[in-house]
Amino acid sequence: GAVVSQHPSRVICKSGTSVKIECRSLDFQATTMFWYRQFPKQSLMLMATSNEGSKATYEQGVEKDKFLINHASLTLSTLTVTSAHPEDSSFYICSGQGGNTEAFFGQGTRLTVV
Amino acid sequence: QKEVEQNSGPLSVPEGAIASLNCTYSDRGSQSFFWYRQYSGKSPELIMSIYSNGDKEDGRFTAQLNKASQYVSLLIRDSQPSDSATYLCAVSRSQGNLIFGKGTKLSVKP
């Protein structure tokens, strides 16, 4: 299957700092990128959907000014967690979709805010 | 009604048995249906896709789709302990992007 490369896999940051997570589709053009968050023992929660070249659509309850999404090209999307706090500690996963096909997940980023 | 619904489980089956996972969806315009498997602490991986009514088999896995009933299922034959994971059903919205169910946790007991 297609590959989505997500980095970093783990990051620890201090409270109040910002963290950028990067997802690259390596062998297909991801016209749509989904960003999810998953807390321990809970299901995937969709945070936002972004289409290349346009602003992301955020799910209800997700602060767009806190979770900045950039999808400037068909192979790269980034999520920046701004002014991170301990409650933002979670497993963040991206998923790329090219057209009306299946989506492929990145490896995930485990964020710990201390 | 939630867009994609799954029984959260846990579903427990003995090794060698058939595990049956079910999913219903609300958007009648949905065209594509997928099953993903997620091991604890890992990201989901695609295991099956199905686009037309009926059954689709791939090894020990069979996906079944009934668009009239808005129902899609996944059967796992000869279940193994390594199949223990959370199984996510995903359905494409009419405009193409995927909506995931909350997942069913499967436990296969040796």
Side-chain angles (χ1 to χ4, degrees):
Chain A
V3 176
V4 173
S5 177
Q6 183 173 348
H7 294 281
S9 58
R10 290 179 180 273
V11 58
I12 300 173
C13 71
K14 290 185 177 180
S15 187
T17 61
S18 296
V19 173
K20 180 183 281 190
I21 301 169
E22 183 179 285
C23 276
R24 291 183 183 273
S25 55
L26 299 184
D27 50 1
F28 71 105
Q29 294 184 323
T31 52
T32 304
M33 194 70 82
F34 305 97
W35 286 94
Y36 297 88
R37 179 168 52 182
Q38 187 173 38
F39 293 106
K41 299 189 187 300
Q42 294 189 24
S43 59
L44 284 173
M45 290 172 47
L46 180 64
M47 299 175 67
T49 302
S50 73
N51 292 301
E52 183 264 338
S54 51
K55 288 185 179 180
T57 301
Y58 289 80
E59 296 297 303
Q60 193 172 9
V62 179
E63 300 174 58
K64 61 180 173 65
D65 295 330
K66 181 172 181 62
F67 298 99
L68 303 179
I69 291 172
N70 184 289
H71 192 176
S73 79
L74 288 170
T75 58
L76 175 63
S77 178
T78 61
L79 167 68
T80 301
V81 183
T82 63
S83 187
H85 292 284
E87 57 265 30
D88 298 323
S89 298
S90 188
F91 191 46
Y92 292 85
I93 311 173
C94 65
S95 177
Q97 185 184 22
N100 294 0
T101 62
E102 60 267 52
F104 296 94
F105 285 86
Q107 300 92 323
T109 297
R110 190 160 302 283
L111 170 64
T112 303
V113 184
V114 297
Chain B
Q1 181 189 5
K2 294 179 182 175
E3 291 194 61
V4 180
E5 293 205 54
Q6 294 181 255
N7 188 321
S8 62
L11 172 66
S12 184
V13 300
E15 184 174 356
I18 295 175
S20 177
L21 304 161
N22 304 314
C23 173
T24 58
Y25 60 95
S26 61
D27 184 354
R28 283 196 170 274
S30 298
Q31 297 295 320
S32 307
F33 307 86
F34 308 94
W35 283 98
Y36 288 82
R37 176 176 61 197
Q38 185 180 23
Y39 291 111
S40 180
K42 303 291 185 182
S43 64
E45 57 179 328
L46 178 69
I47 53 173
M48 287 287 285
S49 59
I50 187 166
Y51 304 97
S52 55
N53 281 328
D55 295 0
K56 179 182 178 182
E57 188 174 317
D58 183 0
R60 295 186 296 112
F61 298 98
T62 299
Q64 299 174 317
L65 174 61
N66 184 325
K67 289 186 179 181
S69 300
Q70 294 172 250
Y71 175 92
V72 58
S73 66
L74 179 70
L75 300 178
I76 306 175
R77 289 181 300 282
D78 188 22
S79 296
Q80 303 296 310
S82 58
D83 295 325
S84 298
T86 296
Y87 289 80
L88 302 166
C89 170
V91 175
S92 67
R93 282 175 169 162
S94 300
Q95 58 267 44
N97 53 341
L98 293 182
I99 295 296
F100 286 84
K102 291 189 179 297
T104 298
K105 186 172 183 179
L106 172 66
S107 178
V108 181
K109 304 293 186 185

